[in-house]
Amino acid sequence: MLLFLSLAHATLPAATASWSSLAASPVKIECTEVGGKPYCRSTGVIGAPVDSAKTTFEALDQHVSQMGSISAIPRLEPDVLRIVMDYPFPFEDRDYVARITHREEAGAHVFGWVPVEHASAPVEEGIVRLGWLDGEWRFTPEGANTRVTYTWQADPGGNLPDVGAVRKKAGFLAVQDMAEACGTKVLSP
């Protein structure tokens, strides 16, 4: 299983990838392509220590009420979550089911995920299943705060008129939701 998870993350953009900027503030949002697939990353400093961000992420399903863009996070197994993203009307909500791994890398806590199918998470009518979505959350100490870097496969699925605007909004909301789940705000890009 670990080999499968490692191979799945091999598709994430390399450190040498060339990124195009979508936004510089309050969250830095950039996009690139890997193998013809769009990836975006959002970066922001939140006003919480890295251990708080790590602990909050590990219990993400217990923080849904603090997140404005997530409507549900049922925990299906200790390392499998179904994330339901609340899209504004008239668009259909999105969801994905992910197996999450944790590793420490150069002082950062990294939570990677790959898509999985799960019997307790059938596709629901009115929700677009993002069965290809993979990515990672990276929490790096920055003084008493945490630099949050969220990298995700950025195909939002369905029929959306302005994918660039969706990526920009999704990138901002992901970092903002993480800050709010930690009981703080985004301090800087």
Side-chain angles (χ1 to χ4, degrees), residues 2-189:
L2 286 178
L3 177 61
F4 169 73
L5 292 176
S6 296
L7 290 175
H9 288 292
T11 62
L12 291 178
T16 58
S18 176
W19 297 84
S20 299
S21 179
L22 291 181
S25 183
V27 172
K28 183 177 179 181
I29 303 166
E30 306 167 295
C31 295
T32 191
E33 283 197 9
V34 176
K37 296 179 184 176
Y39 280 84
C40 293
R41 75 176 169 201
S42 304
T43 306
V45 176
I46 65 170
V50 74
D51 286 338
S52 176
K54 173 190 175 280
T55 302
T56 299
F57 190 86
E58 289 172 332
L60 205 56
D61 54 322
Q62 299 172 27
H63 295 277
V64 173
S65 65
Q66 296 162 295
M67 295 183 236
S69 65
I70 303 295
S71 59
I73 305 178
R75 185 172 296 275
L76 308 174
E77 294 179 25
D79 63 343
V80 177
L81 299 175
R82 175 178 175 238
I83 313 291
V84 182
M85 297 171 282
D86 185 22
Y87 269 56
F89 179 81
F91 305 112
E92 294 179 313
D93 289 350
R94 292 348 189 214
D95 79 346
Y96 62 99
V97 180
R99 184 168 310 279
I100 299 171
T101 60
H102 173 254
R103 69 184 188 279
E104 290 186 45
E105 186 178 287
H109 289 279
V110 181
F111 292 88
W113 78 88
V114 294
V116 296
E117 292 183 18
H118 198 283
S120 296
V123 175
E124 293 182 24
E125 187 175 332
I127 296 179
V128 176
R129 172 66 47 93
L130 306 177
W132 54 86
L133 196 66
D134 69 337
E136 72 176 25
W137 286 89
R138 182 175 296 264
F139 303 107
T140 307
E142 187 149 313
N145 300 311
T146 301
R147 176 163 298 283
V148 176
T149 303
Y150 171 61
T151 305
W152 76 103
Q153 203 282 346
D155 178 352
N159 186 17
L160 298 173
D162 186 350
V163 174
V166 170
R167 290 177 182 154
K168 186 175 176 179
K169 184 78 169 178
F172 168 73
L173 290 173
V175 175
Q176 177 181 282
D177 279 354
M178 190 65 222
E180 290 176 357
C182 290
T184 188
K185 62 183 179 176
V186 178
L187 302 176
S188 65

